[in-house]
Amino acid sequence: MFKNKKQLASFFVVTLIITLMINMAITWYSRSASKEIDYGTFLTMIQNKKVESVKIENNRLLITPKIDEKSSVSDKKIYYTGALNDPELVNRLQAAGVKFSTPVKDVQSPIMTFILSWILPFAMFYFLGTLITKSLGKKMGGGGAMSFGKSNAKVYIEKKTGVTFNDVAGQEEAKESLNEIVDFLHKPSKYTEIGAKLPKGALLVGPPGTGKTLLAKAVAGEANVPFFSLSGSGFVEMFVGVGASRVRDLFQQAEKNAPCIVFIDEIDAIGKSRDSQLGGNDEREQTLNQLLAEMDGFDSSKGVVILAATNRPEILDKALLRPGRFDRRVIVDKPDLKGREEILKVHGKNVKLDNRVNLGEIALATAGAVGADLANMVNEAALRAVRMGRDEVRQDDLFEAVETVIAGKEKKDRIMTEEEKSLVAFHEVGHALAAALQKETQPVHKITIIPRTMGALGYTMQMPDKEKFLHSKDELVEQIVVLLAGRAAEEVVFNKITTGASNDIERATDLARKMVTMYGMSDKFGMMGLESIQNTYLDGRAVQTCSTETSTEVDREVLQIIGSCYEKAVNLLKANMEALCKISAYLIHKETIMGDEFTNILKSIPR
Ligand code: ADP
Ligand code: MG
Ligand code: ZN
């Protein structure tokens, strides 16, 4: 409750004054309620039979007078007089028929009185005070009314993060560059003796969910040093200057605890470039300035290392990135095939896996997934195993989890009409056939016409046999043919087109556009770049860099590619009508077929 000695002292003074006042008030009240009389008057009252009862206390007599019918109620007072050593008193009282008594013993020992009138008020005030600060603190969102401008970094200090490099898989390069920092935190002297300056800070850059936060914790865990973690948005408050003082406070604490790691997550919240013209943000700029100043000011040889993470490095202020500040950049990119397998292994350790589980296969099916996705998939698989009443996670649980993450959950209760069902089946088999009958495409893994919660009425899953980093023009064209073959099948078989191809069309168009504007694969523009990517680590949106006239021609080129690919798809399916019909009929019957079933039927049909 008390942040410092000052507050404690003021609490004491206030409570003391209030208690004094209360005690005085009680004394005054009891005084005014009773009236002192002398012993003579008392004796006269007894003689006149005006006394109802007498209470004999240690050193005084409390006298309750008889209620006088004539006098008013307000007259009813208790009198008291000092107790004289009067041996006759008892006889006199008895003679006058007055009730009298004396307390059995002193009811309230002096200690009790002291506790009641002095300690109790203190306790009550303390209790009340705590209650008020707590409820106020909740309303003010955390820190409490008194703690504006204080860093809440200490809230986040974890002596041991408990995470080591073993928990981070598939980021070998990142780990390697961070290893040096770990070594430095272990033995700073080794570096300072030779005169080497270590980087003050390292910036972890990469898409969301690749393990940046995890890596920072692992560095602290490996080096076995305290870990101060604060999110960039945690610095910025409504009041100008609060963020700056938080930064100051954070660095002060860090220097006290050296060697240690200061981790600023999502640093783009404060590190945004200051040159943006649209109305500056004073508070953010002040916070950034303070951060820059602190990073310059502190002595890195003491062993304070600053790590920061962001997925938008391009918007960071240049001053942050210059040597002497975050001069080292560690890329934490999406994991490749091997990386994904290792991440699956790390997370697979936490669940009971059937010994037939092949994580390499799952890794192949999850191109583009990041660590967070994979962790989620393993967990989904475990949940499914429990749902199915099993005590081990099997390969099909894992595959189902992959599909759940990609396409949503199965929606078994959606009822499709027979016609819709066969339309979807022919559409999907169209995709699958186009994939199987071309050379450069990925093999079919699974075809299903069970709808999913994320909108797909059915889908064809392809799985590569190995991971590829380069794609040829032929490959891309074939991929577009596969995407358009769904619609082609609808048209060839039913002579009817539906809304079911919208996603295919979107993806095909996107691919065709990239071929023209970015990959230099069109005859017309050759190698001219017409679009550039922004936000590499987030949505990767492309921005046109060409004139509107050119843009019109780009559209024409894209249309031409799509048109010719669609024609190819139609021709391909027309030439394989028997396979299309046979496999579709089988799919309508079974609802889901796997890649090898599909290949077997396809092989059994003479061509
Ligand atoms: P971000 O890069 O967005 O900071 P996090 O570090 O918060 O990502 O990762 C979120 C979760 O995903 C982690 O807690 C961990 O369970 C899992 N994860 C991400 N990357 C990895 C990885 N390389 N190895 C193991 N687990 C990972
Ligand atoms: Mg993070
Ligand atoms: Zn489709």
Side-chain angles (χ1 to χ4, degrees), residues 567-582:
E567 213 181 292
K568 267 188 210 161
V570 169
N571 290 338
L572 196 74
L573 293 180
K574 275 188 180 157
N576 291 280
M577 275 305 268
E578 197 190 342
L580 181 60
C581 293
K582 250 193 175 161

Side-chain angles (χ1 to χ4, degrees), residues 523-534:
D523 299 329
K524 185 161 218 156
F525 295 107
M527 283 187 293
M528 183 177 176
L530 302 167
E531 276 181 2
S532 67
I533 299 260
Q534 293 199 331

